[in-house]
Amino acid sequence: MEINLESFSVECTECDMDEDADDYSSLEKFSRKHVEHTGHDIRWVQGSAVPEVSVSESTDYRLRCETCNESWSFDSQYEAEEFQSDHAEYTDHEAVGEIETEESWTAHCGDCRTTQEFATQSEANEWRDEHRTKDHRTGIRTVFGTIREQQTESAQSEPSLVETGHSKSQRDRIKNIKELISKLEDECEDGAPVPFILIEAEMVGMTQSKAQTELEKLKQKGEVYEPSSGFVRTT
């Protein structure tokens, strides 16, 4: 499995921030500094997670002829006036009516080429924000899709909290993180990229903040180490 280190970006929902960079090391440094200065949890994403979505205003110019019982829409005042004049000249329908305007807002995603039209700017902005934060959370391939099946043993067959010092859920989390690292550490020269581990952990039901906590515990125990900033290996 190929890991593209240039495809990562980070987001902080607490301050409504997202950031990407041309190289992984710069982004990893930014994420560490952001946490250091704010204390916020950040979330790593990969793929087209934060696409460019534009919101623009447009105006329709409308005409209606009661005699024809027809309505027309135009992109400009000039086109509407020209049609109004022609309609009066080439029919006997002198009373075409006043030109009316109707504003609308269009949101367009350049990544997936989706376009939506809305009556108000607030509706367009709401769709834009939801599209960026949900519809494009594409994630990445899970490298160990069978982990959940591997953990089907009943709670009765598991050692107790008193025996191990950890609850079953804690042991599962630690096991998951170690398996992730061992499966990913040979994909890159410096080891398993921390963002990739966090994203993969999220895909099997663990929050990124919880995965980061378990990763720090493993480092403190000496079961994993950091050969370079943003990468880890098992000992």
Side-chain angles (χ1 to χ4, degrees):
M1 178 183 60
E2 183 179 353
I3 297 178
N4 181 8
L5 293 178
E6 296 181 358
S7 64
F8 290 114
S9 60
V10 294
E11 63 176 19
C12 176
T13 55
E14 295 185 62
C15 56
D16 194 26
M17 175 222 75
D18 54 68
E19 183 76 12
D20 55 22
D22 293 334
D23 62 279
Y24 170 64
S25 61
S26 297
L27 192 59
E28 193 275 333
K29 179 180 179 180
F30 175 89
S31 67
R32 282 190 289 105
K33 291 295 186 180
H34 184 76
V35 173
E36 178 183 328
H37 286 272
T38 65
H40 295 167
D41 287 332
I42 62 152
R43 181 172 181 267
W44 285 86
V45 292
Q46 189 184 40
S48 55
V50 188
E52 290 297 325
V53 181
S54 62
V55 173
S56 58
E57 181 183 12
S58 60
T59 303
D60 287 336
Y61 298 86
R62 300 180 182 275
L63 271 175
R64 177 171 179 78
C65 177
E66 295 297 339
T67 305
C68 296
N69 194 29
E70 293 283 351
S71 297
W72 300 272
S73 178
F74 305 91
D75 293 332
S76 69
Q77 177 84 17
Y78 173 79
E79 291 176 342
E81 290 175 347
E82 185 176 38
F83 181 88
Q84 184 183 43
S85 176
D86 287 349
H87 192 73
E89 181 179 352
Y90 297 113
T91 69
D92 58 354
H93 309 157
E94 296 294 339
V96 178
E98 296 295 324
I99 298 175
E100 298 180 351
T101 60
E102 181 177 312
E103 293 182 347
S104 62
W105 294 82
T106 301
H108 175 74
C109 175
D111 283 22
C112 63
R113 303 184 184 279
T114 299
T115 300
Q116 295 286 337
E117 189 171 303
F118 302 90
T120 65
Q121 183 180 13
S122 61
E123 290 175 336
N125 289 341
E126 183 178 354
W127 182 88
R128 175 200 62 195
D129 294 342
E130 183 172 354
H131 186 74
R132 294 179 74 222
T133 57
K134 293 182 180 179
D135 294 348
H136 270 267
R137 287 292 172 256
T138 54
I140 51 179
R141 293 170 294 172
T142 304
V143 298
F144 65 118
T146 60
I147 278 186
R148 282 180 175 169
E149 287 100 9
Q150 294 170 354
Q151 296 173 343
T152 56
E153 295 85 2
S154 67
Q156 289 80 6
S157 64
E158 289 288 334
S160 67
L161 176 62
V162 175
E163 293 176 298
T164 65
H166 299 284
S167 68
K168 181 178 183 299
S169 61
Q170 287 175 317
R171 293 196 306 277
D172 286 346
R173 286 196 297 267
I174 293 171
K175 179 183 177 182
N176 288 352
I177 296 299
K178 289 186 69 175
E179 286 188 2
L180 273 172
I181 297 170
S182 65
K183 289 179 181 290
L184 295 172
E185 60 187 355
D186 293 328
E187 298 294 332
C188 294
E189 182 178 352
D190 293 325
V194 171
F196 209 96
I197 297 168
L198 301 182
I199 295 171
E200 287 279 5
E202 188 176 49
M203 294 179 70
V204 293
M206 194 186 311
T207 65
Q208 290 195 19
S209 60
K210 179 61 70 175
Q212 182 70 60
T213 299
E214 299 302 334
L215 181 58
E216 292 301 320
K217 290 179 181 178
L218 288 171
K219 290 196 301 188
Q220 291 170 7
K221 293 177 181 178
E223 296 185 38
V224 302
Y225 68 101
E226 197 170 14
S228 61
S229 183
F231 296 88
V232 290
R233 285 187 178 277
T234 55
T235 56

